[in-house]
């Protein structure tokens, strides 16, 4: 599992550079031909990690229901994110991973509600979810790398 966490930390550091390099206006820009923006992708990544690992384990997520409603699968940006929301997302980038690592070490993931992803991969345990999450984050990071060319 250590490699999965190191990959995830590396991924989150890439996302942090987006938050630090781009202006609030750029983070909120939806380029022509796209259905979302940089900040939505980062929020979505955090929400999906929490849902895959915690919600499907019937454990309390670290994020609000409001955040889930804004960034879950099937949503798109409905408003411009302000600086406070960006700062909250920046904190959640790493605090969610640290809690996941600690909870895994404490054996908190005893139950898991099996889930089959859109790609057809069946996730059977929280450990599977942690590994699969890296794939999901890589997909959205790739989308973000496309978006940045147009802002």
């Amino acid at each position: 599992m250590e490699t999965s966490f190191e990959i995830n930390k590396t991924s989150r550091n890439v996302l942090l550079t987006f938050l630090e390099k781009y202006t609030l206006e750029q983070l909120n820009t939806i380029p022509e031909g796209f259905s979302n923006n940089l900040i939505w992708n980062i929020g979505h990544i955090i929400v999906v990690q929490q849902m895959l690992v915690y919600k499907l384990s019937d454990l309390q997520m670290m994020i609000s229901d409001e955040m889930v409603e804004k960034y879950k699968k099937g949503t798109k940006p409905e408003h411009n994110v302000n600086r406070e929301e960006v700062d909250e997302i920046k904190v959640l980038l790493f605090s969610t991973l640290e809690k996941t690592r600690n909870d895994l070490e404490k054996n908190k993931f005893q139950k898991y509600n099996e889930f089959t992803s859109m790609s057809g991969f069946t996730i059977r345990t929280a450990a599977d979810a942690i590994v699969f999450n890296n794939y999901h984050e890589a997909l959205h990071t790739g989308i973000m790398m496309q978006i940045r060319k147009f802002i």
Side-chain angles (χ1 to χ4, degrees):
M1 284 306 318
E2 188 60 32
T3 300
S4 288
F5 281 112
E6 287 304 312
I7 291 168
N8 207 195
K9 184 177 177 184
T10 300
S11 169
R12 297 293 175 100
N13 277 316
V14 169
L15 299 177
L16 180 62
T17 62
F18 279 93
L19 294 175
E20 293 177 340
K21 180 178 179 181
Y22 293 96
T23 66
L24 195 55
E25 181 181 342
Q26 289 172 315
L27 290 171
N28 281 295
T29 298
I30 302 172
E32 189 174 331
F34 290 85
S35 59
N36 53 51
N37 53 32
L38 294 175
I39 195 65
W40 182 90
N41 277 280
I42 297 171
H44 175 73
I45 283 168
I46 292 167
V47 165
V48 168
Q49 185 269 345
Q50 288 288 289
M51 293 180 79
L52 283 174
V53 178
Y54 284 88
K55 186 172 183 166
L56 289 171
S57 295
D58 293 335
L59 295 173
Q60 179 74 34
M61 296 187 291
M62 288 182 63
I63 56 174
S64 67
D65 292 341
E66 178 183 80
M67 187 171 186
V68 171
E69 289 306 310
K70 283 184 192 176
Y71 297 107
K72 69 183 179 182
K73 179 181 169 231
T75 64
K76 61 183 180 180
E78 299 292 336
H79 73 286
N80 281 342
V81 172
N82 61 34
R83 179 55 52 197
E84 291 77 28
E85 289 174 278
V86 172
D87 290 343
E88 177 187 8
I89 286 170
K90 193 182 285 189
V91 168
L92 288 169
L93 272 178
F94 296 99
S95 62
T96 52
L97 295 186
E98 195 58 37
K99 181 167 179 15
T100 302
R101 180 188 292 242
N102 290 338
D103 287 348
L104 188 67
E105 289 172 1
K106 293 176 183 174
N107 268 341
K108 288 198 175 183
F109 302 104
Q110 295 298 312
K111 178 182 176 188
Y112 196 82
N113 298 298
E114 191 173 288
F115 172 77
T116 301
S117 73
M118 286 180 58
S119 61
F121 183 77
T122 301
I123 302 166
R124 292 182 173 86
T125 66
D128 288 352
I130 291 166
V131 173
F132 179 81
N133 183 64
N134 286 330
Y135 166 76
H136 178 260
E137 290 196 19
L139 288 174
H140 283 277
T141 302
I143 292 167
M144 292 171 64
M145 289 180 176
Q146 292 174 347
I147 288 173
R148 73 179 178 186
K149 295 176 184 178
F150 299 99
I151 59 172

